[in-house]
């Protein structure tokens, strides 16, 4: 796993611990309903936390990621590879 992926997953996990949601994640984990179960407020909070920690977020870029993998893919394409 690339360092950028690890940073993104660490940020998501920290947020999920704070809001007492399941923290076992893989790229296919859904963010809503039958997955993590984020509601609209939690989605906004996650968006803000990702922006604070990583400088940008998929939600603010007009995306509506459905899975953890969608978030990882956003950062993989948004961050230049070293």
């Amino acid at each position: 796993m690339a360092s950028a992926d690890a940073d993104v997953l660490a940020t998501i996990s920290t947020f999920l611990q704070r809001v007492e949601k399941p923290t076992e994640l893989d790229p296919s984990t859904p963010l809503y309903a039958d997955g993590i179960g984020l509601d609209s407020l939690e989605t906004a909070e996650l968006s803000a936390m990702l922006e604070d920690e990583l400088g940008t977020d998929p939600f603010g870029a007009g995306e509506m990621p459905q899975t953890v993998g969608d978030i990882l893919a956003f950062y993989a394409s948004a961050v230049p590879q070293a």
Side-chain angles (χ1 to χ4, degrees), residues 4-18 25 45-54 75:
D5 283 357
D7 292 344
V8 172
L9 289 174
T11 300
I12 295 170
S13 291
T14 298
F15 171 76
L16 294 175
Q17 288 173 352
R18 194 179 85 222
L25 303 174
E45 290 178 69
L46 176 58
S47 172
M49 189 168 182
L50 288 167
E51 175 127 19
D52 287 348
E53 295 293 321
L54 303 168
Y75 285 105

Side-chain angles (χ1 to χ4, degrees), residues 8-80:
V8 172
L9 289 174
T11 300
I12 295 170
S13 291
T14 298
F15 171 76
L16 294 175
Q17 288 173 352
R18 194 179 85 222
V19 297
E20 299 178 357
K21 296 284 187 180
T23 57
E24 281 192 37
L25 303 174
D26 67 57
S28 65
T29 302
L31 298 174
Y32 314 102
D34 293 335
I36 296 169
L38 296 180
D39 62 24
S40 59
L41 178 60
E42 291 163 340
T43 300
E45 290 178 69
L46 176 58
S47 172
M49 189 168 182
L50 288 167
E51 175 127 19
D52 287 348
E53 295 293 321
L54 303 168
T56 188
D57 72 281
F59 304 95
E63 302 289 320
M64 192 56 163
Q66 298 298 306
T67 66
V68 171
D70 292 343
I71 294 174
L72 294 173
F74 169 81
Y75 285 105
S77 67
V79 178

